[in-house]
Amino acid sequence: MKYSILAAALLAAHPALAAKVFVTNERGNTVTVIDSGTWEVIDEFDAGNRPRGVGVSPDGKLLYVCASDDDQIKVFDTETYEELYSLPSGPDPEQFTKHPSGKLLYVANEDDNLVTVVDTESRTVVAEVPVGVEPEGMAISPDAKYVINTSETTNMAHFIDTETYKITGNVLVDQRPRSAIYTMDGSKLYVSSEIGGTVSVIDPNAEGGPKLLDKIGFEVAGVQPEWLQPVGVRVTPDNKWLFVALGPANRVAVIDAETDEVVDYILVGQRVWQMDFTPDHKYLVTTNGNSNDVTVIDVEAQKAIKSVQVGMQPWGVAITPE
Amino acid sequence: MRMLLRLVLALCLAAWWSGAARALDVRAAVLRVDYPTVLPIARSDVRPEDLGFAGAALGDEDNQTTGSFLGITFATSNVTATPETMMEALDTILSEGIRLIVVMARAPDLLAIADKAGPDVLILNAEARDTSLRDDQCRANVLHISPSQNMMADAVIQFAMWKKWSRLFLIEGSNPADTALADAYRKAATKFGAKIVETRVYEDTGGSRRTDTGHVLVQRQIPVFTQGAKEHDVVIAADASDVFGLYLPFNTWEPRPVMGSGGLRPVTFHPDHEAWGATQFQRRFEELTGRLIHEEDYDVWLAIRVIGEAAIRTGAAEVPTLRDYMLSDAFELAAFKGRPVNFRSWNGQLRQPVILTDSKLTISVSPQDGYLHQRNTLDTLGLDQPESACEAFQ
């Protein structure tokens, strides 16, 4: 008994057990590191030119940063923040998604209409898949059979078979699709359209190929409809809630992922862009590009509880796993 | 409602695509009428040979990438003509079965082309900015990709008012096109509560445009020309003929900013615009064409994209279906200006933000904050429905 109290006290007090939140600052050319236990900034380091898409390896040891203007993905040590090496990513990498094993990264190359598949171990390009104009959003199905790319000018979600690297399906969505995400059970795919102002709900497993089921629209009293621009999307692991960052509307929409109805809007910082959960999924961290901060949302309460100042024009966020 | 309509259309389209694997050919032409012109004041304003066509090439490429996933083929041909040969050129285009024509021509020629082409043809105007074309001279078979002069003037005056620069010193050229542009500024001033405290006319006396050490004279002439004007916050230049607007900044008698045809200029696009993903667009254009983009290239690109978007969403290549879709609430297009562009259903004008540039950077984008409208804030720029005498779209 005594020991367990002591252990609990140690757990609570030990900062190393909290996750690290890495925020890319697109304009500041840095990554800000935040402790998710105290929500204090613990460091900021140089991360190449125009860092945007960001992710952490499954073992939590490596941080991948798309240095868009350097045409490479830089790899950093998540403890020392030392730049270890870089991965060949193809030109102007913006976003990527990871294979669950961590072995492969699927990278959207905005400038040349390609998705590049990079082996993180051999540090080589495994495949290049031609997609639509201005590839942007990347997602992977929970069973890792399909990688999704959204192309901003072609306005499609492309389904790429991860075995053959062939496109097996295309779904037209609204203007400028930015991000995509699967529910954890793989039954639905959500695609946000920034300029179209909607989130498309897609059945990825429909007979005869992926099928558009519905479109979620947004409405906030006192906000001009054209500023309701969906960008980042995240689904809770119980598949119950979808969170959508609404860009210059400065709000995150909360959507019931069973009915696909909007139930609330959470006011956050300015030009809210990308989001990530802490490993326990208790908190959702949003990057706010125009107010240079991140907002911490209490997921269960669906309330913003804190904002933390970061570098210039925060873009992406990735959090170390447990 | 609008979303529902879009969803229904999308679902119909999905059903159509899965049901029918037929290929679709979408053919368009760009008809550019070239006029004898004098050299521009600024060397970098010289019209490239492929002006407009370069935008069509990129538009075609963008459409084709999407088309390749859907079994649609896009092809656009480029045709140059003079005012004397343009009708012949039109006949050739029509004889090839092309019914979608992007026209770069002055207003009277645009109307002549549209009237001869008739109701089975859809003309997309990518040059003429005369407001009359969106007013009593509108045509049911002409949609306007280029903004009107009134939209451009409103964009400038909204910015002036946002800055609280409400006292305007208007300098207009002596040609009819300059007067029309000045009229747009007069109307904008009334519309947004600015006051034109003084108007002067700068005579176009002809002569050569660029001479060695020309700035020496300009530096002496412009201060004298602008001397003694009533107290003003800003100088507005209405110089559609490119005679003096660019000479005004820094040369005025009073230290005042210049806007309009010099200083802070309203444009549809410029090569340094980077916001809203435009960087990728600029890079694609430069890689394809080997030069920087001009407004006309962007306007034609947008016209070709409008055709592409309508064809992709409807699965049709016929004019009535495409025109109906373009004018419907369901139509919208991303155009690297931060919000969707679509058409005013009462006069066929494409709604769009207007960029204000100092010829290097995007300084601002109108409509400005606080200019509201019951339908769409973009309708604070240019002729609004109750003001327009256009009846062809009813």
Side-chain angles (χ1 to χ4, degrees):
Chain A
M1 183 65 201
K2 206 165 134 195
Y3 286 113
S4 65
I5 290 170
L6 183 63
L10 271 173
L11 275 172
H14 205 298
L17 290 173
K20 275 183 180 173
V21 180
F22 294 96
V23 177
T24 52
N25 301 303
E26 181 181 6
R27 190 147 193 148
N29 291 344
T30 57
V31 165
T32 301
V33 191
I34 301 167
D35 182 303
S36 76
T38 61
W39 298 116
E40 299 283 340
V41 172
I42 50 178
D43 214 326
E44 182 172 345
F45 59 91
D46 290 340
N49 288 308
R50 205 174 176 206
R52 293 195 283 177
V54 60
V56 179
S57 61
D59 63 8
K61 287 185 178 155
L62 302 174
L63 180 76
Y64 301 112
V65 176
C66 289
S68 298
D69 285 355
D70 294 333
D71 298 334
Q72 55 181 222
I73 292 182
K74 290 183 183 291
V75 184
F76 296 89
D77 185 311
T78 54
E79 283 301 320
T80 63
Y81 316 133
E82 191 189 341
E83 185 180 335
L84 302 173
Y85 49 89
S86 59
L87 296 172
S89 66
D92 199 14
E94 181 163 355
Q95 287 193 49
F96 62 85
T97 192
K98 302 183 297 275
H99 191 277
S101 68
K103 189 171 175 347
L104 298 175
L105 299 184
Y106 305 91
V107 189
N109 297 122
E110 221 182 354
D111 260 2
D112 61 358
N113 308 345
L114 287 177
V115 166
T116 302
V117 186
V118 182
D119 187 318
T120 58
E121 288 158 12
S122 67
R123 301 175 202 173
T124 55
V125 171
V126 180
E128 287 182 336
V129 186
V131 291
V133 183
E134 287 176 49
E136 167 94 18
M138 298 297 303
I140 188 161
S141 61
D143 60 8
K145 284 189 176 154
Y146 292 99
V147 158
I148 310 303
N149 163 252
T150 67
S151 47
E152 289 179 319
T153 291
T154 295
N155 301 318
M156 275 182 174
H158 306 288
F159 287 70
I160 302 166
D161 186 316
T162 53
E163 290 284 319
T164 62
Y165 298 125
K166 296 265 185 275
I167 292 179
T168 58
N170 299 291
V171 177
L172 267 177
V173 295
D174 283 341
Q175 300 292 310
R176 260 183 110 68
R178 276 279 184 178
S179 298
I181 197 152
Y182 269 92
T183 53
M184 286 302 283
D185 60 6
S187 68
K188 275 201 260 190
L189 175 75
Y190 292 105
V191 177
S192 63
S193 290
E194 181 189 16
I195 295 292
T198 59
V199 171
S200 292
V201 187
I202 294 167
D203 176 357
N205 313 312
E207 262 184 63
K211 196 174 147 221
L212 182 69
L213 296 176
D214 196 3
K215 285 182 190 172
I216 304 169
F218 303 92
E219 204 177 339
V220 179
V223 177
Q224 292 291 324
E226 64 269 17
W227 300 129
L228 296 163
Q229 302 186 345
V231 183
V233 283
R234 280 286 180 269
V235 184
T236 54
D238 57 8
N239 307 317
K240 282 195 175 145
W241 300 104
L242 166 68
F243 293 90
V244 179
L246 292 176
N250 310 333
R251 281 162 178 83
V252 170
V254 184
I255 292 152
D256 180 329
E258 275 157 26
T259 61
D260 293 327
E261 298 286 335
V262 181
V263 296
D264 203 1
Y265 294 94
I266 302 169
L267 192 62
V268 294
Q270 291 172 22
R271 203 196 80 152
V272 56
W273 215 240
Q274 297 289 343
M275 306 180 289
D276 200 11
F277 288 113
T278 52
D280 55 10
H281 293 87
K282 278 190 180 157
Y283 303 103
L284 181 69
V285 181
T286 75
T287 57
N288 312 316
N290 284 353
S291 47
N292 298 335
D293 57 6
V294 301
T295 301
V296 183
I297 291 172
D298 181 323
V299 172
E300 199 179 333
Q302 299 179 355
K303 295 256 180 293
I305 57 163
K306 198 170 177 63
S307 56
V308 182
Q309 205 69 25
V310 292
M312 265 172 80
Q313 238 169 11
W315 195 99
V317 53
I319 303 180
T320 50
E322 265 162 349
Chain B
M1 180 58 210
R2 181 169 151 223
M3 232 197 53
L4 184 67
L5 180 62
R6 272 187 357 224
L7 179 63
V8 169
L9 271 161
L11 294 175
C12 291
L13 178 67
W16 185 87
W17 283 121
S18 53
R22 73 183 167 116
L24 185 70
D25 283 320
V26 183
R27 291 164 67 212
V30 181
L31 173 55
R32 190 182 80 189
V33 182
D34 290 336
Y35 301 90
T37 50
V38 288
L39 276 176
I41 295 180
R43 193 173 160 275
S44 57
D45 286 342
V46 171
R47 291 164 68 97
E49 283 285 311
D50 60 349
L51 187 73
F53 298 153
L58 184 63
D60 245 10
E61 209 176 89
D62 286 354
N63 288 342
Q64 193 51 60
T65 308
T66 311
S68 63
F69 295 113
L70 296 171
I72 309 181
T73 317
F74 291 92
T76 302
S77 47
N78 300 324
V79 181
T80 51
T82 63
E84 292 73 37
T85 64
M86 66 183 192
M87 287 308 179
E88 207 180 306
L90 176 66
D91 286 337
T92 310
I93 292 168
L94 294 175
S95 71
E96 286 165 6
I98 294 171
R99 296 291 177 268
L100 297 160
I101 309 175
V102 180
V103 174
M104 302 172 69
R106 291 177 184 169
D109 293 341
L110 174 77
L111 288 181
I113 290 168
D115 291 343
K116 178 149 194 272
D120 300 337
V121 174
L122 185 63
I123 305 281
L124 298 174
N125 167 24
E127 183 167 310
R129 292 185 176 176
D130 309 54
T131 302
S132 63
L133 296 172
R134 288 85 172 161
D135 199 8
D136 56 339
Q137 290 301 305
C138 72
R139 297 289 189 274
N141 64 344
V142 182
L143 302 185
H144 305 281
I145 304 300
S146 297
S148 68
Q149 258 164 358
N150 281 77
M151 289 167 71
M152 299 311 241
D154 286 354
V156 169
I157 301 302
Q158 275 192 9
F159 180 76
M161 293 306 285
W162 189 86
K163 296 289 294 180
K164 314 265 187 255
W165 296 340
S166 61
R167 296 171 302 174
L168 317 178
F169 172 20
L170 175 65
I171 304 178
E172 57 180 284
S174 57
N175 297 311
D178 307 325
T179 312
L181 182 56
D183 286 344
Y185 280 108
R186 281 185 271 272
K187 193 168 175 194
T190 308
K191 185 171 170 181
F192 299 119
K195 188 168 167 32
I196 296 174
V197 294
E198 182 156 346
T199 303
R200 289 184 190 179
V201 175
Y202 192 100
E203 289 295 334
D204 181 2
T205 55
S208 72
R209 292 312 188 90
R210 300 196 303 266
T211 55
D212 211 359
T213 69
H215 63 278
V216 176
L217 266 181
V218 168
Q219 190 176 339
R220 291 170 188 211
Q221 288 166 341
I222 298 296
V224 176
F225 178 78
T226 53
Q227 189 179 1
K230 289 204 187 77
E231 207 174 322
H232 55 279
D233 301 310
V234 60
V235 176
I236 302 289
D239 176 27
S241 315
D242 186 35
V243 169
F244 65 93
L246 297 179
Y247 293 154
L248 295 178
F250 309 105
N251 283 321
T252 51
W253 183 268
E254 300 286 344
R256 295 288 177 270
V258 177
M259 306 200 297
S261 307
L264 191 72
R265 298 179 305 115
V267 294
T268 58
F269 216 69
H270 67 92
D272 292 296
H273 181 63
E274 294 208 79
W276 304 301
T279 312
Q280 278 73 38
F281 174 77
Q282 306 276 12
R283 285 186 192 155
R284 282 209 308 281
F285 181 87
E286 287 154 20
E287 198 175 323
L288 184 69
T289 65
R291 64 170 173 84
L292 298 174
I293 198 164
H294 286 235
E295 280 188 275
E296 291 88 342
D297 299 315
Y298 174 81
D299 297 347
V300 174
W301 171 83
L302 194 49
I304 296 295
R305 286 287 295 130
V306 164
I307 293 170
E309 181 66 13
I312 286 160
R313 299 284 169 176
T314 60
E318 299 80 34
V319 164
T321 313
L322 295 179
R323 181 182 179 278
D324 284 354
Y325 181 76
M326 288 173 191
L327 290 170
S328 75
D329 281 350
F331 179 87
E332 63 178 15
L333 189 61
F336 304 100
K337 293 193 196 179
R339 50 193 290 182
V341 300
N342 55 17
F343 287 94
R344 292 174 183 155
S345 57
W346 64 88
N347 69 354
Q349 170 68 55
L350 190 78
R351 294 185 176 98
Q352 58 188 299
V354 173
I355 297 171
L356 300 171
T357 177
D358 64 348
S359 299
K360 265 294 183 198
L361 297 180
T362 292
I363 301 298
S364 185
V365 179
S366 287
Q368 296 296 318
D369 271 353
Y371 286 91
L372 302 180
H373 193 279
Q374 69 276 19
R375 189 184 301 106
N376 182 326
T377 54
L378 290 175
D379 284 349
T380 63
L381 302 178
L383 275 188
D384 201 0
Q385 190 167 13
E387 303 169 289
S388 168
C390 176
E391 287 176 359
F393 287 77
Q394 284 172 7

